[in-house]
Amino acid sequence: TMQLGVTIANQDGIIVYVNPADAKMHGHSRDELLGKDVGIYAVGFQHRPLSAQKLRGLRSYQRETFNRRKDGSIFKVRLLSDVVWNSDGDPVGLVTICEELTAEEGADGTKSQPKKTKSAERKSKKK
């Protein structure tokens, strides 16, 4: 029932869990994403797995970036990732919360369409 996307990936960057909101946000079914590299979301670079040493040093981090939908469209997101630890205290993966930043939410809870850039406005006026 969570509205934000949730993805859990193992240390090799393979998706082991994805919630319905994340799958829908990216235009995939959950089954299409399970077992895939998290690079399926990436724009402009290939995902490289994080070593256990790097995971130990990260603990958690957040960033704003762009993700890719199944149809190839790109959208802005805020990602918050936390390291997943096993019972021995070793890092085994990452859980990431994904919030789409493209649409603006109004006070009534509805989302508006992304605003057009000046360049897009000029192109639509030329037509």
Side-chain angles (χ1 to χ4, degrees):
T1 62
M2 189 169 182
Q3 293 179 11
L4 298 175
V6 177
T7 300
I8 300 174
N10 66 19
Q11 184 175 330
D12 296 323
I14 303 302
I15 298 169
V16 296
Y17 172 82
V18 61
N19 74 340
D22 196 77
K24 182 178 178 182
M25 181 186 317
H26 290 90
H28 292 274
S29 72
R30 291 175 70 205
D31 288 340
E32 288 176 312
L33 293 169
L34 293 176
K36 296 285 194 294
D37 188 285
V38 294
I40 196 168
Y41 300 136
V43 175
F45 72 93
Q46 199 162 3
H47 171 261
R48 286 182 227 128
L50 296 172
S51 68
Q53 183 179 6
K54 283 186 181 181
L55 283 174
R56 275 190 191 90
L58 286 176
R59 303 278 175 192
S60 68
Y61 63 106
Q62 68 177 339
R63 63 243 179 247
E64 288 187 10
T65 188
F66 293 90
N67 277 5
R68 181 181 311 278
R69 290 188 178 94
K70 183 179 180 179
D71 69 6
S73 62
I74 296 170
F75 61 106
K76 190 172 184 178
V77 294
R78 177 179 297 119
L79 303 175
L80 175 61
S81 298
D82 284 292
V83 177
V84 178
W85 306 89
N86 68 15
S87 59
D88 294 329
D90 296 319
V92 294
L94 285 173
V95 59
T96 300
I97 306 295
C98 180
E99 176 185 16
E100 184 174 355
L101 299 178
T102 308
E104 295 179 10
E105 190 168 313
D108 61 356
T110 60
K111 289 189 176 182
S112 64
Q113 293 299 314
K115 294 180 181 177
K116 287 185 178 180
T117 63
K118 290 185 187 241
S119 167
E121 288 175 7
R122 282 192 295 268
K123 285 179 186 175
S124 65
K125 285 180 184 178
K126 289 180 181 179
K127 291 182 180 182

